[in-house]
Every structure is written in structure tokens, then in C-alpha cells.
Amino acid sequence: MDYLNAFLCGGILCAVGQILIDKTRLTPARILTGYVVAGVLLSALGLYQSIADWGGAGATVPLTGFGHALAKGVEKAVAEKGWLGVLTGGLTATAGGITAAVVFGVVMALLFKAGEKR
């Protein structure tokens, strides 16, 4: 059942993104940014954790999950370090994912030759 929930949750998030691309004039970059902000806002309202509990990886892997991780990191850092945690918590909580994205991007750039799209 966990796999089905993850598939449904991730699919719903992707479908909403596709609808936004098709029906609005929003650029993909703005939609992606909106997903991160939505994850932060839903976390701040206490709603995203229940979505993540239900959807599993379908909720934590997409960009809304990144926003949720940022919000949780800030919340934890503020509790531990006070107001300095507002500046450091989000980066500390997501450092592993950011590092992995950069490392894999560099590896792929070294392995494959960039060329013109045809």
C-alpha cells in the first residue's frame, strides 16, 4: 500500500504541475519555485507532515518535500540556536541533497559530451 500511496501522491503533484504548465503562462522555473514555497507554507501550517506520512517518497522526493525539509531544518535550528537558526537551519537540513545534486551534475558533465539539440 505504501507504494500505491507514494505513486498517487507523486502523481498528483506532477499532474498539478503539468496543468499549471498547460493552462497558465507560468514558466517551469516559477512553478518549481512555487512548489518549494508551497512545501514551506504547508509545513508552517502543520499540514505537510501528514501528507508526507501518507505519501511517503511521493511527498518527500518532489520539490514540495525540499521545501518541507527546509522548514523542518529551520524549525529545529531555531529551537537549538535561537534566531541564528533561521539563517543556518535550512541549509544544514538540506546539505546532503544539495551536495548530491552538485556532485552528480559534475559527474554527468564529465562523462557525457554536451552537444547541440537537434
Side-chain angles (χ1 to χ4, degrees):
M1 196 64 180
D2 290 340
Y3 294 119
L4 179 62
N5 290 347
F7 177 77
L8 290 173
C9 185
I12 290 168
L13 289 171
C14 289
V16 169
Q18 188 63 50
I19 291 168
L20 289 172
I21 288 171
D22 292 343
K23 301 294 183 186
T24 68
R25 297 186 68 174
L26 293 173
T27 63
R30 289 184 182 193
I31 294 169
L32 296 175
T33 304
Y35 267 40
V36 174
V37 171
V40 170
L41 292 176
L42 290 171
S43 293
L45 296 172
L47 301 174
Y48 201 82
Q49 189 60 50
S50 61
I51 296 169
D53 291 342
W54 173 76
T60 57
V61 172
L63 286 170
T64 50
F66 181 72
H68 175 63
L70 286 172
K72 295 298 278 185
V74 169
E75 181 182 8
K76 179 180 176 187
V78 167
E80 293 174 359
K81 300 176 185 175
W83 284 102
L84 183 61
V86 171
L87 301 174
T88 62
L91 292 176
T92 303
T94 59
I98 294 169
T99 302
V102 170
V103 168
F104 291 133
V106 169
V107 169
M108 292 300 118
L110 293 173
L111 291 177
F112 298 100
K113 181 182 175 187
E116 291 184 26
K117 291 184 181 181
R118 295 180 185 194

